[in-house]
Amino acid sequence: MGRAVVFLDRDGVLNDPVHDPYDGRPEAPLRAADVVLARGAIEGVRALNEAGIPLVVVSNQPGAAKGKVTSGELRGVHERVRSLLAAEGADIADWRYCFHHPDASDPQLRGACECRKPAPGMLLDAAADHDIDLSRSWIVGDTDSDVGAGRAAGVGTVLIGHPGSRHRRTDEWIADAQADDLQEAAAFLLLDGELRSPGHA
């Protein structure tokens, strides 16, 4: 039997979305200096760390594909999120990103892929690499695509209602549970120090 993990979206779960000058609405930070950790992120990660639950980030990051930023700037944002969490003793076991987009200006990143959520590719690849039992695992995200990816991969789903990602949520996908932030999500996921079974959400 593989191990149970909690998959996490990044923007809207670990850090706040910020105003995107290209789209005119809150989206992923485009520069490291814009990164602010989301409310409850540190506490939520720590709680799951203390319970011995591995955490795997799975995040769509099409900024470079759309020509908004360079791949180097995307790496800078990633490093800033990672370092802010690490400085508070909050550990993420693995980080996985999809850099593709169907309408990418970069032809190498354009078109359909298996990793862009709501496709489950990032979760399935992580499961294969880390011996993860998806039937015992969860995803915590803030958008319809997170819930869709979780359903497609066969994991439990928790939807965080971050106000900055409201435009990415509809009634199309209903999560197994809802929370205001990652701290509240972690409190739901942990029962007597153990990860709740998705079948008993």
Side-chain angles (χ1 to χ4, degrees):
M1 180 183 295
R3 57 182 175 169
V5 307
V6 174
F7 296 99
L8 302 174
D9 182 43
R10 194 189 74 184
D11 309 305
V13 175
L14 294 176
N15 58 273
D16 289 330
V18 300
H19 176 76
D20 188 319
Y22 298 92
D23 295 339
R25 56 191 181 187
E27 299 291 355
L30 299 178
R31 296 166 187 80
D34 295 333
V35 172
V36 176
L37 293 183
R39 183 189 70 182
I42 293 168
E43 295 85 352
V45 171
R46 280 177 175 171
L48 293 164
N49 287 164
E50 290 169 6
I53 309 301
L55 304 178
V56 177
V57 168
V58 287
S59 178
N60 295 344
Q61 293 296 326
K66 293 181 176 181
K68 295 179 179 181
V69 291
T70 66
S71 58
E73 286 171 314
L74 283 184
R75 284 194 298 273
V77 172
H78 159 74
E79 286 299 332
R80 181 61 174 164
V81 177
R82 186 199 60 76
S83 64
L84 288 174
L85 289 170
E88 299 293 338
D91 180 64
I92 304 295
D94 191 12
W95 300 78
R96 295 187 175 239
Y97 294 114
C98 171
F99 298 110
H100 307 105
H101 192 274
D103 303 318
S105 57
D106 182 342
Q108 292 186 328
L109 297 173
R110 186 187 308 142
C113 67
E114 295 300 319
C115 54
R116 181 174 168 79
K117 296 177 295 184
M122 285 188 284
L123 287 75
L124 299 180
D125 287 347
D129 290 344
H130 297 297
D131 190 28
I132 293 169
D133 183 348
L134 292 171
S135 70
R136 297 169 53 226
S137 299
W138 292 81
I139 185 171
V140 180
D142 63 319
T143 71
D144 285 1
S145 66
D146 298 314
V147 178
R151 289 287 173 84
V155 304
T157 56
V158 180
L159 184 66
I160 285 180
H162 194 295
S165 48
R166 188 179 293 112
H167 61 289
R168 295 192 177 277
R169 293 189 296 271
T170 68
D171 294 329
E172 179 181 358
W173 295 99
I174 305 301
D176 297 310
Q178 297 187 10
D180 288 337
D181 56 33
L182 185 54
Q183 183 176 18
E184 185 175 302
F188 164 78
L189 290 172
L190 295 173
L191 287 175
D192 299 323
E194 301 288 336
L195 188 64
R196 179 191 295 265
S197 169
H200 296 87

